[in-house]
Amino acid sequence: VFLFIACFLIGVIGAATLAYEMGYVGPKAENPQSLEGYVHRARAAMHAGRWEAPPGDNVRDLTTEGLSKYPRDPRLIQIRSESTSQIVKDAIGQKYLGHMDQAEHLATLAHQLDPTDATAERLAAEYAAEVDAAADAGVAAFDAGAATTTHPPTAPTVSTHATEVAPANGARSTIEL
């Protein structure tokens, strides 16, 4: 009986160890270079809002690298699509906060992540045009400001004493100021 129980326990422990090593039991240690590793890390970066920083551990870098190794993987494409939707919302929020440079940057990033997203494409073009127009207006305002500050208007000088004026007919008159 003792020998039977000992063999049974050794067999169970051996099978459990083998199942654990093969990943059938317990937490899976994912290879970061595997498809599952890219999906897991990209999803974590998306939930943390790491769109493009830090380098190598953000949605853009992870999905780009993952799609280069596993083209057209629907999970990586879905992560990019979901990220694009969130970035578009962030870009609109930045615009209404008055941060047009940041809004334009986010819209461009959203368009890079999902070039098929019509909203991201339209916002990127619209915000780029607004930033360019604002930059052109800023340069024009700067040029106009530089022109007025370079040559300040001079106030007319007024004399408070009597001045004699001699008209062409030879008569004299006095003007009081």
Side-chain angles (χ1 to χ4, degrees):
V1 172
F2 177 73
L3 185 60
F4 177 74
I5 294 175
C7 288
F8 177 75
L9 288 178
I10 291 173
V12 168
I13 292 172
T17 303
L18 183 63
Y20 181 80
E21 292 295 323
M22 293 180 72
Y24 293 119
V25 178
K28 286 187 177 181
E30 293 177 0
N31 178 2
Q33 301 301 317
S34 70
L35 176 59
E36 292 301 320
Y38 283 115
V39 169
H40 177 71
R41 293 183 322 160
R43 194 167 302 283
M46 180 182 69
H47 290 299
R50 296 188 315 259
W51 312 123
E52 60 183 339
D57 191 27
N58 58 66
V59 173
R60 183 185 59 193
D61 293 349
L62 290 169
T63 56
T64 299
E65 189 176 328
L67 286 170
S68 70
K69 292 182 179 182
Y70 307 98
R72 294 182 227 156
D73 178 68
R75 293 176 293 177
L76 291 172
I77 292 170
Q78 180 65 30
I79 290 169
R80 279 189 154 211
S81 178
E82 291 173 12
S83 296
T84 296
S85 296
Q86 185 58 45
I87 293 170
V88 164
K89 291 175 191 174
D90 292 349
I92 292 170
Q94 289 297 319
K95 178 187 178 188
Y96 287 110
L97 288 174
H99 305 135
M100 275 310 296
D101 288 340
Q102 184 65 17
E104 189 265 336
H105 175 75
L106 288 172
T108 302
L109 176 64
H111 180 59
Q112 289 171 354
L113 283 177
D114 190 359
T116 63
D117 189 297
T119 304
E121 181 179 12
R122 189 172 48 251
L123 281 182
E126 177 185 327
Y127 290 177
E130 286 184 34
V131 167
D132 289 343
D136 291 344
V139 168
F142 177 75
D143 289 343
T148 58
T149 57
T150 305
H151 307 289
T154 56
T157 56
V158 177
S159 174
T160 57
H161 62 281
T163 304
E164 281 191 30
V165 177
N169 63 5
R172 295 187 163 241
S173 62
T174 303
I175 300 175
E176 290 285 331
L177 298 176

